[in-house]
Amino acid sequence: MVHFAARLKPHTLVRMMFEKLKVLEETFNCALRDGDSEAELANIKAQFLGRKGKLAAILKALGQMPMEERRELGRAANDLKNRLLRKWVDARADIEKISIDKKLKENWIDISLRERDRAGRVWEAGLHPVTIVQRELEDIFLSMGFDILDGPHIEDDFHNFTALNIPESHPARDMQDTFWFKDLKHLLRTHTSTIQIRGMKQKIKPPFRFVGPGKVFRCEAIDASHEAVFHQMEGMLIGRSITVANLIYFEKVLLNEIFGKEVEIRLRPGFFPFVEPGFELDIACLICHGSGCRVCKGSGWVELLPCGMTHPNVLKHGGIDPDEYNGFAFGLGLDRLVMMRYGIDDVRLIHSGNIDFSKQFAV
Ligand code: PHE
């Protein structure tokens, strides 16, 4: 508290007060110069600028001054307060910067440092062939005006089956042996078609087109062309008056784009409850060029692109009026595509974790 002797003349009082403000500023500056931690700074703030601090005490004492002097001193005290506050903020920023710099220095990692194996060979990092192909496809789809969506690996019954027109009693639920969770309500998604439902709900109003790449899981008997975990890229295009001709044309353009050359295709009827009509689109095997190998199971053709016109029930589950809109969907098998592209004749190699295998594709 600052007390004034009643007998002092007003102008002497004013001079004293100005003196106090000056001293306050000097001691504040000294304290700030010495304060080198956030805790000390917080202390300084409380001590000088806090509710019970030095400046508050002076301002309180101002109340006892005559009106005229009070105004002049009040303005000076306020200016001082702003000045101190600015300096304090700057000092705190400096301290923060120092502490960040210190942390950065302590946690410094040389990301360019090359890892070596036991034989002293440098380990090269690179993208996995599935990632390479997925990214290339994403570029192609983006250039065709598609959005890229995502969906969870752990799905519920509704998104994986019911909404895709696969009701509880439907034999299609047995077609794909599924990894169910104990609650029998959740599962590891068996296909990326779940993203159709999530995409429709997200987009709300057609027209729209999107793809959804990702891992899928099936309890398969594993052989050269089947794995329990593999990759698909789901595609969906919804608008008005879309036809099968649009679908076929689109798929041809897409495959030519993917392989960088005209590939031979054939279309067969295929059954998927969420499309009607549904097709299997095969390409002539690029491994054996039609003569038959273990990838195409000797047939010369590889199933690559199941597709079809979206079933009205699926549109309804996605909140879209099937009387107004229609469209098509397709599911690209990414691992198969990788095999065709690079001439790999066993899908098990792709996720073998064998670095010698994977690094051949590194870019
Ligand atoms: N979901 C189907 C599968 O996993 C593929 C598919 C997608 C078929 C879209 C038609 C349309 O086999």
Side-chain angles (χ1 to χ4, degrees), residues 20-21 27 35 48 52 59 67 74 78 90 100 106 131 144 155 190 227 233 262 290 304 332 346:
K20 276 185 187 300
L21 290 177
T27 42
F48 286 87
K52 290 189 178 148
L59 287 172
M67 198 54 189
N78 240 337
D90 286 349
I100 291 172
E106 282 166 3
T131 309
M144 293 168 115
E155 266 295 3
T190 59
E227 258 281 23
M233 187 180 268
E262 186 107 15
L304 196 66
L332 261 168
D346 193 328

Side-chain angles (χ1 to χ4, degrees), residues 94-150:
D94 285 348
I95 283 187
E96 264 170 15
K97 190 173 170 297
I98 290 168
S99 111
I100 291 172
D101 284 349
K102 190 163 158 249
K103 272 189 206 141
L104 284 176
K105 220 177 252 169
E106 282 166 3
N107 299 320
W108 187 77
I109 300 170
D110 182 359
I111 54 166
S112 67
L113 193 65
R114 297 257 180 119
E115 197 69 50
R116 284 176 189 275
D117 65 12
R118 262 185 255 141
R121 291 176 304 190
V122 168
W123 280 16
E124 299 288 345
L127 295 177
H128 189 277
V130 173
T131 309
I132 296 171
V133 168
Q134 181 182 322
R135 290 194 181 172
E136 272 181 33
L137 283 175
E138 287 177 359
D139 278 348
I140 294 172
F141 280 112
L142 283 173
S143 77
M144 293 168 115
F146 281 68
D147 288 333
I148 296 167
L149 304 185
D150 201 4

Side-chain angles (χ1 to χ4, degrees), residues 42 124 138 144 158 189 205 214 232 285 294 299 313 322 337:
E124 299 288 345
E138 287 177 359
M144 293 168 115
F158 176 77
R189 68 176 178 201
K205 234 181 148 35
Q232 293 184 330
C285 183
R294 57 181 181 151
S299 72
N313 287 349
L337 210 53

Side-chain angles (χ1 to χ4, degrees), residues 12 20 43 53 155 166 196 227 233 259 264 273 276 299:
T12 319
K20 276 185 187 300
N43 221 344
E155 266 295 3
I166 313 176
Q196 290 186 26
E227 258 281 23
M233 187 180 268
F259 289 102
E264 211 185 324
E276 180 57 40
S299 72

Side-chain angles (χ1 to χ4, degrees), residues 150-161 163-164 187-200 210 215-216 232 234 274:
D150 201 4
H153 290 162
I154 298 176
E155 266 295 3
D156 52 27
D157 187 282
F158 176 77
H159 288 91
N160 201 82
F161 294 124
L164 287 160
L187 49 98
L188 292 178
R189 68 176 178 201
T190 59
H191 50 187
T192 45
S193 300
T194 52
I195 300 175
Q196 290 186 26
I197 306 299
R198 294 186 178 278
M200 279 188 284
F210 56 79
K215 279 189 168 56
V216 298
Q232 293 184 330
E234 195 77 11
F274 35 94

Side-chain angles (χ1 to χ4, degrees), residues 31 58 100 153 160 176 188 190 244 251 258-260 273 301 339:
I58 295 180
I100 291 172
H153 290 162
N160 201 82
Q176 301 154 341
L188 292 178
T190 59
V244 173
E251 313 266 78
I258 290 174
F259 289 102
W301 294 93
M339 292 166 82

